[in-house]
């Protein structure tokens, strides 16, 4: 112990113990935070539902209310809806953090993409939406609702952060290794270089004022990343200079799925 090697070994052991202790404390802290977020989200649902109910009731008599009161009620309703969306997003992320199992069923990704882009066109008619799909349906095993939400978030993000007239192309393909690749690309202004490393982090927003005005919670891309990870996939930015292209790669479930496969 008194030799230089022995002293070095003792110092390394003490350092490793401190690192292990710090990591354990950090894990415990993160667990407490996630539990708090989950519990708070659950508890907020009930009062928010009550607020929305009362505002909807008041809106039925909007014509009988003074103009300033009617405006105030309208603002309460819109903010309650925005907060409800935030709470639901936080609750979904908490569930994914807890590793709750997803549904496992055959998903027709081609039809899912068509439906999601159709919804995006209805929501953002000032954008130019287009598809690039293979001739044969692309099938995989996964959770249809969560995958649809992930794609809807990607399309909503493209709509929120680009001006009217922007072209958004959604592509779907099967890679040589069998993985499914989903790409959402737009020719908008792109993502500033300083924001690119954190674009999939929670509450990451580029233009805060525009994002809030468009109803963004700052959790959309974080949910995309969490959903794709839960499916064993990967998501990232292929390029973001003068445009934005988000690429998602998903396994097909570990086995080949055909039209005749049982769910």
């Amino acid at each position: 112990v008194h030799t230089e090697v022995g002293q070095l070994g003792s110092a390394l052991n003490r350092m490793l113990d401190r690192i292990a202790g710090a990591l354990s404390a950090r894990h415990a802290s993160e667990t407490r935070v996630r539990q708090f977020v989950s519990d708070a989200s659950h508890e907020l649902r009930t009062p928010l539902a009550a607020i929305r109910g009362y505002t909807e009731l008041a809106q039925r008599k909007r014509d009988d209310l003074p103009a300033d009161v009617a405006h105030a009620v309208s603002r309460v309703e819109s903010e309650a809806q925005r907060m409800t969306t935030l709470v639901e997003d936080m609750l979904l992320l908490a569930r994914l953090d807890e590793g709750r199992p997803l549904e496992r069923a055959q998903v027709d990704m081609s039809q899912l993409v068509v439906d999601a882009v159709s919804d995006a066109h209805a929501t953002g008619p000032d954008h130019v939406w287009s598809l690039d799909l293979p001739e044969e349906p692309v099938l995989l095993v996964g959770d249809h609702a969560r995958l649809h939400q992930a794609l809807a978030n990607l399309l909503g993000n493209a709509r929120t952060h680009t001006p009217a007239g922007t072209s958004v192309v959604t592509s779907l393909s099967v890679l040589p290794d069998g993985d499914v690749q989903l790409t959402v690309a737009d020719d908008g202004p792109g993502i500033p270089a300083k924001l690119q490393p954190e674009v999939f982090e929670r509450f990451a927003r580029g233009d805060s004022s525009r994002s809030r005005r468009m109803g963004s919670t700052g959790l959309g891309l974080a949910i995309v990343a969490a959903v794709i990870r839960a499916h064993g996939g990967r998501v990232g930015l292929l390029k973001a200079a003068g445009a934005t292209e988000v690429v998602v790669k998903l396994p097909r479930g570990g086995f080949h799925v055909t039209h005749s496969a049982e769910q």
Side-chain angles (χ1 to χ4, degrees), residues 51-115:
I51 292 170
R52 293 200 315 273
Y54 282 118
T55 54
E56 288 172 6
L57 181 62
Q59 289 283 41
R60 295 176 187 174
K61 299 182 179 181
R62 182 183 180 87
D63 294 340
D64 299 332
L65 299 174
D68 58 340
V69 175
H71 175 71
V73 171
S74 178
R75 292 297 304 136
V76 170
E77 183 178 41
S78 63
E79 289 302 296
Q81 183 57 53
R82 188 165 73 91
M83 190 170 183
T84 298
T85 301
L86 174 59
V87 167
E88 293 298 332
D89 284 352
M90 291 171 63
L91 190 54
L92 173 58
L93 281 171
R95 288 170 174 166
L96 291 170
D97 285 342
E98 292 170 2
R100 296 196 185 183
L102 299 174
E103 294 291 328
R104 281 183 59 84
Q106 180 175 277
V107 179
D108 185 337
M109 287 298 294
S110 298
Q111 187 61 52
L112 185 150
V113 169
V114 170
D115 291 342

Side-chain angles (χ1 to χ4, degrees), residues 35-239:
Q35 187 61 50
F36 169 77
V37 170
S38 178
D39 293 344
S41 299
H42 276 292
E43 293 299 325
L44 285 170
R45 289 171 119 185
T46 299
L48 281 171
I51 292 170
R52 293 200 315 273
Y54 282 118
T55 54
E56 288 172 6
L57 181 62
Q59 289 283 41
R60 295 176 187 174
K61 299 182 179 181
R62 182 183 180 87
D63 294 340
D64 299 332
L65 299 174
D68 58 340
V69 175
H71 175 71
V73 171
S74 178
R75 292 297 304 136
V76 170
E77 183 178 41
S78 63
E79 289 302 296
Q81 183 57 53
R82 188 165 73 91
M83 190 170 183
T84 298
T85 301
L86 174 59
V87 167
E88 293 298 332
D89 284 352
M90 291 171 63
L91 190 54
L92 173 58
L93 281 171
R95 288 170 174 166
L96 291 170
D97 285 342
E98 292 170 2
R100 296 196 185 183
L102 299 174
E103 294 291 328
R104 281 183 59 84
Q106 180 175 277
V107 179
D108 185 337
M109 287 298 294
S110 298
Q111 187 61 52
L112 185 150
V113 169
V114 170
D115 291 342
V117 172
S118 178
D119 293 343
H121 182 271
T123 307
D126 293 334
H127 283 62
V128 181
W129 307 93
S130 57
L131 292 165
D132 181 9
L133 302 177
E135 293 184 4
E136 295 296 323
V138 176
L139 307 173
L140 57 75
V141 173
D143 187 317
H144 183 280
R146 296 284 78 86
L147 289 172
H148 186 280
Q149 182 174 9
L151 178 53
N153 284 2
L154 288 176
L155 296 172
N157 188 73
R159 183 186 73 252
T160 301
H161 297 287
T162 61
T166 298
S167 294
V168 183
V169 181
T170 304
S171 306
L172 185 67
S173 63
V174 178
L175 301 175
D177 62 5
D179 283 355
V180 173
Q181 179 167 296
L182 174 68
T183 304
V184 176
D186 67 67
D187 60 357
I191 299 174
K194 64 179 182 179
L195 295 179
Q196 291 175 26
E198 60 185 37
V199 71
F200 293 104
E201 298 296 325
R202 298 173 191 192
F203 298 107
R205 274 193 292 238
D207 183 347
S208 296
S209 62
R210 176 178 170 83
S211 297
R212 291 192 179 95
R213 188 171 66 253
M214 297 296 288
S216 172
T217 64
L219 294 175
L221 292 184
I223 288 175
V224 171
V227 168
I228 299 307
R229 282 198 303 268
H231 279 83
R234 306 181 303 281
V235 60
L237 289 173
L238 187 61
K239 62 178 182 179

